[in-house]
Amino acid sequence: MAQGTPLLEVQGLKKYFPIKRGVFRHTVGHVRAVDGVDFTLRAGETLGVVGESGCGKSTMGRSVLRLIEPSAGNVIFEGKDVTKLSKSQMRAMRREMQLVFQDPYASLNPRNTIAQTLMEPMQIHNIGTRSSQMERVRSLLDRVGLDPEYANRYPHEFSGGQRQRIGIARALTLNPKLIILDEPVAALDVSVQSQVLNLLDDLQEDFNLTYIFVAHDLSVVRHISDRIMVMYLGNMAESADSDELFIDPLHPYTQALLSAVPIPDPDAKRERIILQGDLPSPANPPSGCPFHTRCPMAMDVCKREKPVWKEVKPNHQVACHLY
Amino acid sequence: MSTNVGAVVQAPTKARTGKFKKSLKRYPLVYLGALIIVIMALLAILAPWISPHSPIATFNNALSEQGIPVGPSREFLLGADGNGRDVLSRVLWGGRISLLIGLLSMIINLVVGTVLGLIAGVFGGWVDALVMRITDTVLAFPFLLFALALVAILGSSLWNILLTIGILGWGVMARVVRGQVLQVRELEYVQAARALGATEWRIMFRIVLPNVFGPVIVLSTLQVGANILAAAGLSYLGMGIQPPTPDWGGMIQDGLTTYTYAPWEMYSAGIALVITVVGFNMLGDGLRDILDPQSATRQ
Amino acid sequence: MSKVLESTDLQNVLEVKDLQIEFKVDEQYYKAVHGVNFHIAPGETLGLVGESGCGKSVTSMSIMRLLKDPTKVSGQIIYQGRDLLKLTENQMRQVRGNEIGMIFQEPMTSLNPVHKIGRQIGETLLLHRGMSASRARKESIEMLKRVGIPRAEQIVDEYPHQLSGGMRQRVMIAIAMACNPSLLIADEPTTALDVTIQAQILELMKQLAKENGTSILLITHDLGVVAETCDRVAVMYAGRIVEEGSVRKIFKNPQHPYTRGLLNSIPKLTGERKRLEPIEGNVPSLRNMPDGCRFAPRCPFAMDKCVAHNPELFEVEDGHRSRCFLQEGGQ
């Protein structure tokens, strides 16, 4: 599925949010939301990013698009370093990389009709005439499985699943190469989730799209991704091809995560690893390996040294002192 | 915004009257408030034609031999004041002054408050801090005291009074606008526009401003009532519209001296003032219910 | 209330009979729950599954009588031989928190932010058990320990915002279980939590229920959670129960096309990855419920009769029933 030169290369991406206190709002510390992420993505490939809330997966996605300005690192898209672009160059670049949001209710302007929402990207980039824009809107709606006659309706007249289709249509308007999907099905009903996942599959094939799929639901991520990256507290814990990760998870965190997912089969017998305690605060991450406070296999070295990112099996990397 | 997309008329015109009845039932306050304001405004506008007498003319037959003003009668429907002038005519003419001050000073509030609120919300950082500290300062002054001082310095002409009220009353407006801007800027659909490459200016005018309108309209309506009261307060304290020009605050103060034996002047002006202010408040509160998407009465 | 009760009523902790719930929207009433029947035996965990708007949460709220006017609720909700719908507000207060405990989805908003944790647990004890303040405090600490909260002695004196989401949900469970209720209603108790925390909370609920013989009514949209925690399942769609039976039967031999569709549409954690088989269409809204079988417009097997008539719950096998004409006359 994945061949050719990389479309996107992310190197050492970091995002630290300053914590400000007092009358003069001086910085007293940093929340390390993303603390060094590297990956390469080829055209037509899907990278799944999983992790629990606060692991930095959403911030990572938005930093790649520079919707959140990264603190450090390079984002190389088709050979160009996106982080070095000026504001106006960046605006032009946005045609190539788009975002689909989690909440189909909040991400559409309630005051605008669907047609207005879908024409906006073309107006921003001065593409086409009104009538050609409208033509595009109709074909987009048709493509995402909505009746083009709905163009003049308002968002509140649609269900969650239909709104998410509109959000996807908006992201497609400018023919982007890369789409970052931030929990695109988390807010949808189970029966509608699969409709949207199938749509995403079809669109990827038709337009040779590259996806970064950020989600917390492991079965959904497994379904859609070619590669999966597991994040914990702003750090990469493990990365492998989708099937490989589920067959042979190496990082104790990945193992716990997989074992915690409830399976809709009352006969499924498996050993459950129940992690103790909560996620530490990213403002004050543990020393050494960020996972050592909850890790059932923690050793002395884990408290002292941060494990390096290494390839343990072909195409399968992990950051853990066990390997 | 763009209407080229095709008309978005969902409800056939047939249903209009039914819709009006339904909204009247749901938001009776708005309609009652608006009705009161329309009536008061019409009375004020038409004052030159409908008032039975000149508001500043004194009539010999309006005072008894002891100099006591006559009560309501066929000639003086609401009685006369201590100077032998017709109270009804003065209430009608006074409404012109009160409404004019209320509206014009609100417009000053609106312009200053919205502009400063937008600047603070959009630019953020030290600009925001500076503008908001100024706003806090203005809000911290006791309004009437400050207004009295200002009018005393500038002189109490109509324009100085409405300018004073306009300049001192924008604080709340600025705060609300800034808050709304900050809130709207973080909304997901604004993020979406940004992700599409929209400039900050486009976001400002296309998305943020329309969202600010609602609360600003509500606040402006309430501000008119408050400003009318403030002007009346200044007049009552002798720093408002100078006699013999009639205005409600001045009439209340004037009527106080004759209160024990001729209370009609004070009552007439006072009731007119209360009705008008209540009308504006009803309209403002009602509009808030309609325009606020979070309010429970809207689904 | 003094009506002669059938013998089954006494065996069950809860028996809901022909429950109807109507909401008023724009001067008109719409039926959100349409003739729901189910029962829960002592110590049993019943899962009420369905998508948003199917009426599962409303059903649980009606058991606690927490629905506000102008909602109309009719039918019978028989708890330990008493019809809860006929109790006075005072009698109902005795039931809430004391005999029936409830856990909500949002651990952030269901705790009062201005009171200390200890006081919130102790309140139910003071109210229902007439304990002294110091006894209640001791008992609160004991409860916190039982729900697995470390440093219970310190946590009693802390405020909700000082705790993480998972810890708050544990506190919610402590409050719900403080008076040792015989029925616990859990409305999406783990939906707002991360998977690793969800596993902790589900484990805790199972263990507490086992220790105390508590029955649980678990409301959720997550079929995985149901499979792992429940004894029996009732699947709801558009205000009606469309299938009910033991967990094994529902998951191994689903009968209703909706249940089958749901199970087929979720991506799997193991095995080959293939194209998903979604249920077409959308969940119908309250305002335009289809006539006849409410699933008919989305059902791949819909027949003429499905559009015109509403099927009953047909018995497929012992204790396993499905509301579908395909199962008419058994299997």
Side-chain angles (χ1 to χ4, degrees):
Chain A
M1 213 183 286
Q3 317 113 351
T5 50
L7 179 81
L8 179 75
E9 222 178 319
V10 171
Q11 302 161 340
L13 189 71
K14 287 185 185 180
K15 178 63 198 176
Y16 289 5
F17 291 103
I19 307 168
K20 295 192 171 177
R21 292 267 160 74
V23 193
F24 300 106
R25 320 279 308 145
H26 60 281
T27 305
V28 294
H30 285 96
V31 174
R32 302 180 183 190
V34 179
D35 203 4
V37 166
D38 309 81
F39 62 86
T40 307
L41 202 52
R42 279 179 294 261
E45 205 179 19
T46 300
L47 172 73
V49 182
V50 273
E52 297 176 282
S53 52
C55 74
K57 54 188 193 298
S58 284
T59 310
M60 195 276 280
R62 278 159 209 235
S63 302
V64 168
L65 293 183
R66 276 183 68 192
L67 279 178
I68 294 174
E69 213 52 58
S71 310
N74 301 316
V75 176
I76 296 155
F77 182 83
E78 290 191 313
K80 254 187 258 166
D81 191 343
V82 171
T83 58
K84 306 268 191 304
L85 295 182
S86 72
K87 271 193 174 169
S88 59
Q89 286 172 318
M90 191 61 219
R91 268 197 291 276
M93 182 58 111
R94 298 211 181 280
R95 292 175 63 164
E96 310 287 334
M97 33 212 314
Q98 273 304 308
L99 181 65
V100 172
F101 294 84
Q102 168 175 4
D103 188 344
Y105 292 86
S107 57
L108 299 177
N109 188 341
R111 290 167 202 272
N112 288 359
T113 62
I114 301 316
Q116 288 170 332
T117 293
L118 294 183
M119 281 160 85
E120 188 171 29
M122 295 181 271
Q123 288 167 357
I124 289 170
H125 294 278
N126 288 318
I127 300 168
T129 58
R130 282 243 168 224
S131 59
S132 72
Q133 288 174 356
M134 197 58 207
E135 206 38 56
R136 177 91 177 121
V137 167
R138 293 175 146 268
S139 78
L140 279 169
L141 284 178
D142 187 54
R143 188 63 201 82
V144 298
L146 289 173
D147 187 344
E149 296 304 309
Y150 290 169
N152 287 333
R153 298 199 178 177
Y154 286 89
H156 70 89
E157 298 176 61
F158 294 91
S159 69
Q162 290 171 320
R163 288 185 209 208
Q164 201 56 300
R165 288 173 193 267
I166 296 164
I168 292 169
R170 173 174 59 192
L172 287 174
T173 317
L174 300 170
N175 281 320
K177 298 197 172 83
L178 172 72
I179 298 184
I180 297 186
L181 301 140
D182 189 359
E183 297 271 14
V185 298
L188 305 180
D189 276 320
V190 190
S191 72
V192 178
Q193 264 190 17
S194 46
Q195 295 173 5
V196 173
L197 288 173
N198 279 351
L199 174 67
L200 290 173
D201 272 338
D202 295 344
L203 294 173
Q204 178 164 45
E205 199 153 307
D206 291 359
F207 302 119
N208 193 32
L209 295 169
T210 308
Y211 289 154
I212 296 179
F213 192 100
V214 176
H216 70 280
D217 187 327
L218 285 155
S219 41
V220 167
V221 170
R222 172 178 186 265
H223 174 80
I224 199 133
S225 310
D226 301 311
R227 274 187 81 72
I228 295 177
M229 181 165 89
V230 181
M231 284 184 73
Y232 186 81
L233 224 60
N235 289 270
M236 298 184 293
E238 185 167 2
S239 172
D241 283 344
S242 189
D243 292 322
E244 159 79 6
L245 187 85
F246 281 80
I247 292 164
D248 187 19
L250 296 176
H251 199 286
Y253 177 61
T254 315
Q255 292 166 358
L257 208 55
L258 290 182
S259 83
V261 182
I263 297 179
D265 178 359
D267 288 347
K269 285 274 170 287
R270 58 195 171 138
E271 211 178 314
R272 170 159 288 173
I273 309 163
I274 293 195
L275 289 180
Q276 297 306 308
D278 289 312
L279 210 65
S281 159
N284 185 19
S287 61
C289 172
F291 185 57
H292 85 254
T293 51
R294 299 171 76 195
C295 182
M297 290 175 228
M299 304 171 288
D300 272 347
V301 62
C302 302
K303 288 174 199 158
R304 284 181 276 110
E305 280 170 49
K306 196 167 176 170
V308 290
W309 183 245
K310 52 186 165 251
E311 183 151 309
V312 177
K313 289 164 76 175
N315 251 333
H316 191 160
Q317 297 94 339
V318 65
C320 179
H321 287 298
L322 288 173
Y323 303 97
Chain B
M1 280 179 244
S2 54
T3 45
N4 248 20
V5 178
V8 204
V9 181
Q10 304 268 293
T13 33
K14 240 186 347 192
R16 275 280 158 76
T17 46
K19 234 181 174 178
F20 175 75
K21 262 187 200 159
K22 210 168 161 187
S23 65
L24 185 63
K25 202 168 168 190
R26 219 195 255 176
Y27 309 109
L29 271 189
V30 177
Y31 292 94
L32 191 56
L35 190 70
I36 290 174
I37 293 166
V38 167
I39 291 172
M40 293 316 264
L42 276 178
L43 289 177
I45 291 165
L46 298 176
W49 295 279
I50 58 172
S51 60
H53 304 285
S54 155
I56 48 174
T58 55
F59 297 90
N60 286 336
N61 60 342
L63 297 171
S64 72
E65 274 152 39
Q66 289 84 14
I68 293 172
V70 299
S73 64
R74 188 166 299 172
E75 191 172 4
F76 306 107
L77 281 175
L78 292 176
D81 71 359
N83 292 319
R85 293 173 297 204
D86 178 36
V87 170
L88 174 61
S89 304
R90 287 182 68 77
V91 168
L92 290 172
W93 281 86
R96 285 168 82 90
I97 302 280
S98 289
L99 283 171
L100 189 73
I101 293 179
L103 281 172
L104 289 184
S105 57
M106 176 273 277
I107 289 172
I108 298 174
N109 293 163
L110 179 76
V111 172
V112 178
T114 310
V115 168
L116 288 180
L118 282 176
I119 289 174
V122 172
F123 291 100
W126 67 267
V127 180
D128 180 26
L130 181 73
V131 174
M132 289 332 281
R133 290 305 80 74
I134 296 172
T135 309
D136 289 345
T137 315
V138 170
L139 282 170
F141 276 116
F143 173 80
L144 212 51
L145 215 62
F146 207 58
L148 274 175
L150 233 110
V151 174
I153 297 165
L154 295 172
S156 49
S157 74
L158 173 68
W159 294 109
N160 285 344
I161 289 167
L162 66 87
L163 214 65
T164 301
I165 296 175
I167 291 297
L168 292 179
W170 53 266
V172 178
M173 194 85 78
R175 263 195 194 168
V176 167
V177 169
R178 170 184 175 266
Q180 193 72 10
V181 171
L182 291 185
Q183 201 191 336
V184 172
R185 266 159 57 101
E186 292 315 308
L187 287 177
E188 218 160 63
Y189 62 80
V190 177
Q191 295 270 330
R194 211 166 273 145
L196 289 166
T199 57
E200 288 299 312
W201 280 110
R202 188 189 168 91
I203 290 172
M204 215 43 242
F205 284 104
R206 287 291 174 104
I207 307 177
V208 176
L209 262 184
N211 271 295
V212 171
F213 280 147
V216 164
I217 288 170
V218 172
L219 211 58
S220 305
T221 316
L222 295 171
Q223 198 76 39
V224 176
N227 288 355
I228 290 175
L229 270 184
L234 280 177
S235 294
Y236 181 82
L237 294 170
M239 279 299 184
I241 300 301
Q242 293 306 299
T245 313
D247 87 285
W248 292 341
M251 288 176 73
I252 294 173
Q253 192 229 7
D254 209 32
L256 200 63
T257 54
T258 63
Y259 173 64
T260 44
Y261 49 92
W264 34 84
E265 182 183 11
M266 198 184 84
Y267 280 137
S268 303
I271 289 170
L273 181 69
V274 167
I275 290 177
T276 309
V277 172
V278 165
F280 277 105
N281 283 355
M282 276 171 150
L283 182 68
D285 279 344
L287 285 177
R288 171 160 36 217
D289 286 349
I290 294 176
L291 294 174
D292 181 6
Q294 264 95 300
S295 89
T297 42
R298 209 183 180 209
Q299 21 92 20
Chain C
M1 241 185 295
S2 54
K3 147 185 178 296
V4 182
L5 297 164
E6 295 162 36
S7 58
T8 53
D9 294 342
L10 297 172
Q11 289 162 9
N12 292 320
V13 175
L14 184 77
E15 178 115 15
V16 172
K17 289 180 175 175
D18 194 29
L19 183 69
Q20 317 264 353
I21 303 173
E22 286 171 77
F23 282 115
K24 196 174 181 182
V25 183
D26 279 345
E27 312 295 309
Q28 231 185 316
Y29 279 97
Y30 294 94
K31 247 185 195 165
V33 171
H34 206 128
V36 159
N37 294 283
F38 63 85
H39 62 91
I40 304 175
E44 186 181 45
T45 299
L46 174 72
L48 206 52
V49 216
E51 298 177 281
S52 58
C54 73
K56 55 189 194 302
S57 285
V58 184
T59 301
S60 71
M61 299 276 277
S62 72
I63 296 170
M64 287 297 250
R65 294 241 317 253
L66 290 173
L67 294 174
K68 300 268 180 307
D69 283 337
T71 310
K72 280 199 242 173
V73 181
S74 64
Q76 286 179 305
I77 296 174
I78 294 157
Y79 169 78
Q80 308 259 6
R82 286 174 298 170
D83 187 348
L84 296 185
L85 292 179
K86 295 210 174 79
L87 297 189
T88 63
E89 192 49 40
N90 265 333
Q91 289 171 315
M92 196 58 217
R93 256 197 293 277
Q94 278 306 306
V95 174
R96 280 187 211 127
N98 188 20
E99 298 182 52
I100 306 180
M102 188 152 184
I103 314 171
F104 298 91
Q105 173 174 350
E106 276 301 330
M108 305 296 166
T109 48
S110 32
L111 287 170
N112 188 334
V114 300
H115 292 317
K116 289 176 180 170
I117 301 295
R119 171 159 174 200
Q120 302 198 42
I121 304 174
E123 200 168 71
T124 45
L125 295 167
L126 293 172
L127 200 70
H128 297 299
R129 293 287 137 100
M131 279 184 191
S132 65
S134 62
R135 266 283 313 280
R137 187 188 152 84
K138 257 185 218 141
E139 198 71 17
S140 302
I141 295 174
E142 209 44 53
M143 272 317 295
L144 286 176
K145 284 182 180 158
R146 279 184 64 198
V147 295
I149 287 188
R151 306 186 294 118
E153 284 86 355
Q154 283 118 316
I155 299 277
V156 256
D157 291 320
E158 286 183 9
Y159 290 92
H161 70 90
Q162 293 169 283
L163 303 180
S164 68
M167 283 298 163
R168 279 182 233 198
Q169 202 58 306
R170 282 174 193 267
V171 170
M172 280 304 298
I173 294 175
I175 294 172
M177 298 294 283
C179 289
N180 205 357
S182 42
L183 175 64
L184 178 67
I185 299 177
D187 187 354
E188 302 269 9
T190 56
T191 306
L193 305 175
D194 282 315
V195 248
T196 58
I197 309 295
Q198 166 171 282
Q200 296 173 356
I201 297 293
L202 290 178
E203 203 60 35
L204 173 70
M205 279 174 52
K206 272 198 269 189
Q207 173 214 329
L208 284 179
K210 207 168 166 189
E211 283 170 19
N212 301 346
T214 317
S215 305
I216 299 179
L217 175 61
L218 179 71
I219 288 128
T220 181
H221 69 281
D222 189 327
L223 292 164
V225 169
V226 172
E228 299 205 349
T229 33
C230 299
D231 302 311
R232 269 190 322 114
V233 189
V235 183
M236 280 187 84
Y237 184 78
R240 289 190 176 122
I241 288 180
V242 293
E243 184 163 4
E244 62 172 315
S246 71
V247 158
R248 270 200 63 87
K249 281 171 184 159
I250 295 283
F251 283 89
K252 290 295 169 186
N253 186 22
Q255 291 299 311
H256 198 282
Y258 176 64
T259 318
R260 282 193 231 162
L262 270 188
L263 285 168
N264 283 335
S265 69
I266 39 180
K268 308 284 179 292
L269 260 191
T270 49
E272 200 196 332
R273 288 189 280 156
K274 38 181 194 237
R275 197 174 167 79
L276 301 171
E277 299 165 40
I279 305 175
E280 294 308 324
N282 293 292
V283 180
S285 78
L286 258 192
R287 286 165 192 253
N288 36 38
M289 279 294 169
D291 294 329
C293 173
R294 289 177 170 183
F295 187 59
R298 301 177 73 188
C299 180
F301 308 106
M303 306 170 279
D304 288 346
K305 146 158 99 166
C306 304
V307 182
H309 303 284
N310 173 38
E312 304 160 40
L313 273 171
F314 299 109
E315 188 105 16
V316 182
E317 48 196 320
D318 193 29
H320 183 183
R321 301 190 295 164
S322 164
R323 190 184 292 281
C324 179
F325 286 120
L326 292 176
Q327 280 87 51
E328 196 173 11
Q331 222 193 7

